[in-house]
Amino acid sequence: MSNNSQAIHIKKDILVRIVTAFFSDDFEKNINRIPVAMRPKGSETPFRCCIHSERAIIRDRVIADLGFAMEDDDEIKPLSEYAKEALEREAPDERPLTVLEDACKGCVPSKIYVTDICKGCVARPCQSACRFDAISMKDGRSFIDGNKCKGCKMCISACPYNAIVKLAVPCEDACPTGAVKKNQNGRATIDYDGCISCGKCVASCPFGAIHEKSQLIDVLKQIKSENKVVAMFAPSIAGQFPGNIRQLETAIIKSGFDDVYEVALGADVTTRTEGTEFEERIEKGEAFMTTSCCAGYNELVGKHLPELKPFVSTTHTPAYYTAEIVRKKYPDAKLVFISPCVAKRREVFDNPKIDYVLNTEELGALFVGRKIEIMDCEERVIEQSASKQSRNYAVSGGVAGAVRHVIKNPEKMKPCIINGITKETIRDLRKYAQKGICPDCNIIEVMCCEGGCIGGNATINNERSAKKIIDNLLKESEDL
C-alpha cells in the first residue's frame, strides 16, 4: 500500500491526536473527543455512508491505538474508559494485531474467473495449461469450475487475450501462510496460531481494517514516569525521516527518551557471530545455513517450517545484542525498540531485556505531537558509530553482504537472497529443507518484506527514497 494513501493519513492523524491528548491536561476527556473532532457535525463523509459510521470506525482505530483488541470491544464502553485502562495496564497484549470488523468491507471471495474478453479460441491454451481439469467450454467461451480450481494461475499465464483474471482479497492474498480468513459474516479474521506477524495484511488492506495494537501509551507512561527510558532504533529507521542520523537521535531524545542507541551496533555483533557460525557449519560439511535476523522469518520456521530449523543460524538478532549493550549501562531502564514491522512486537515478548516496541508511524506521530522538527535539531555527538555493513541490514541482501565481509574466505560464500516471504518462497524453503540442499547456494538470507526492512508495513517513506538515504549514510560509515 502506498505510504501516501488516505488510510495512512487517517492512521497518522489519530496517532498524533492521541499523543496530543496524552500530554494535555485531561487525557481521558480529550481521547473521547477524537471521533467528533475528526468528523464534526456537518462535515463531509468521504469514505462511509454517514458521519456516524465514520465516527464509529475512527473510534475503533483509537481503541487499537490505545493497545486493545477490537474483538473484545463491547461497543458501549466510552473511549475514556479505554484510556484509563491503558494508563493502568502493566504490560501490552501478546497478540500484536486486531481486526476492525466495521472497517472491513467483506470483499467477495478470492477466485480465478473468465471475463467477457474471452474469445473462445480454437487453441484452448487455458485448458491445456490447467492440470486439474477445471476448465471447460460453456456458451462459447472458457468456464472455470471453482470446485476443481486450485488457484495455480497457469491459465492466466496461458491466455493470449489476458481474458482470465484473479479476483483477489487483498489481505488474504498478501498473507503467505493463509492465516487471514473470512468469518461467517464475510469479515476478515486472523488465525493467530498460523500468523507470523509479518504485517503484510496490514499494509495490503485498502480499508485499514487490520490494525496493529499500539504500545504508544505504554511508552508514553514510562516517559512521564521517573524511570529512565532508552530508545533503540532499527537500521531501517534512518531511512524514514528527513535530516541525518545524528539529528534523528537528538529528536528522539527531545521527544522524551533519556538516551538512544542504533540497533546497528548490535548488528555488528550479529555479523561477527553469524560469520563465525557460517564458517564452522561449512567446515563441518553442512549444505547451507539461513540467516536469523528477521523476526517474521523466525516465526515462519517455528510455526510452519520446523524441518528448516536445523539450518537456521543460532545467532541472536541485532535487537537482542543491542539490548545487552544497553543493559550494561542502564540495567534498570525501560528499553523501547523502534521498528518498521509487526513481527518485532512478537520477538520482544520473548526477550525479557526489551520492554516495548514502537513502530515508525508511532515515532513520527510522537515527533508531530510534540512539535519536533528533525531538520532543526542539532547533530548529537557520540563516541561509537555502527559499521557500514550493519547499517545496510535495512536493505535486502545487506545481511548476507555483512557476513561475507567478515569471513576469511568470502569467495566460498554462495548466497541466495529471498527478498520477501510469499507462498512460493515458502514452498522453495520447504523443498530446500526436505532435500537438505539449496542449489548453488550455501547461505540463504531471508527477509519477510520485499526490499528488506525498508519495505516494512509501518514505514512512512517509500522504499526507493529510503534506500537512497541509507546509501548516503553508508558513504560516511566505516567498515566493520
Side-chain angles (χ1 to χ4, degrees), residues 215-364:
Q215 298 175 20
L216 180 60
I217 296 303
D218 304 87
V219 173
L220 294 181
K221 281 192 305 182
Q222 297 301 328
I223 286 175
K224 260 194 174 182
S225 73
E226 296 180 357
N227 295 323
K228 280 199 173 295
V229 187
V230 180
M232 313 184 310
F233 64 94
S236 59
I237 303 302
Q240 301 303 307
F241 297 97
N244 62 45
I245 195 168
R246 298 306 166 213
Q247 289 176 305
L248 174 60
E249 291 183 359
T250 299
I252 291 173
I253 290 173
K254 276 189 172 185
S255 70
F257 292 91
D258 294 286
D259 205 348
V260 57
Y261 284 74
E262 279 189 79
V263 171
L265 292 169
D268 285 342
V269 182
T270 296
T271 298
R272 294 191 188 95
T273 308
E274 200 153 75
T276 300
E277 182 181 358
F278 171 74
E279 289 178 311
E280 291 174 349
R281 283 176 177 252
I282 297 305
E283 191 174 327
K284 290 178 183 177
E286 295 186 23
F288 68 90
M289 180 187 84
T290 83
T291 57
S292 61
C293 72
C294 176
Y297 169 58
N298 291 331
E299 283 277 298
L300 174 70
V301 173
K303 291 184 175 181
H304 298 279
L305 294 174
E307 61 267 52
L308 193 59
K309 192 169 184 179
F311 299 95
V312 180
S313 169
T314 57
T315 300
H316 292 297
T317 66
Y320 179 97
Y321 290 121
T322 306
E324 284 193 335
I325 294 169
V326 177
R327 286 294 178 200
K328 289 177 182 177
K329 185 174 180 180
Y330 300 106
D332 300 318
K334 298 296 181 181
L335 270 55
V336 180
F337 179 62
I338 302 171
S339 165
C341 75
V342 178
K344 285 297 182 182
R345 295 193 194 274
R346 283 292 313 127
E347 180 184 324
V348 164
F349 276 110
D350 298 326
N351 185 349
K353 291 184 173 67
I354 307 175
D355 299 286
Y356 305 106
V357 176
L358 284 185
N359 67 30
T360 320
E361 294 168 333
E362 292 158 353
L363 179 63

Side-chain angles (χ1 to χ4, degrees), residues 50-111:
C50 65
I51 196 169
H52 304 292
S53 178
E54 293 213 358
R55 286 176 180 173
I57 293 172
I58 290 170
R59 172 187 176 274
D60 292 352
R61 298 190 192 284
V62 173
I63 291 170
D65 283 329
L66 289 173
F68 297 98
M70 275 309 303
E71 291 86 347
D72 300 328
D73 178 41
D74 64 5
E75 298 187 27
I76 62 172
K77 182 191 283 190
L79 288 176
S80 55
E81 283 296 312
Y82 280 108
K84 183 179 178 181
E85 288 181 19
L87 291 174
E88 296 172 350
R89 180 172 58 219
E90 293 186 5
D93 189 71
E94 182 177 354
R95 291 177 175 175
L97 296 174
T98 186
V99 178
L100 315 182
E101 188 167 309
D102 288 342
C104 178
K105 273 290 188 177
C107 304
V108 297
S110 177
K111 67 175 182 177

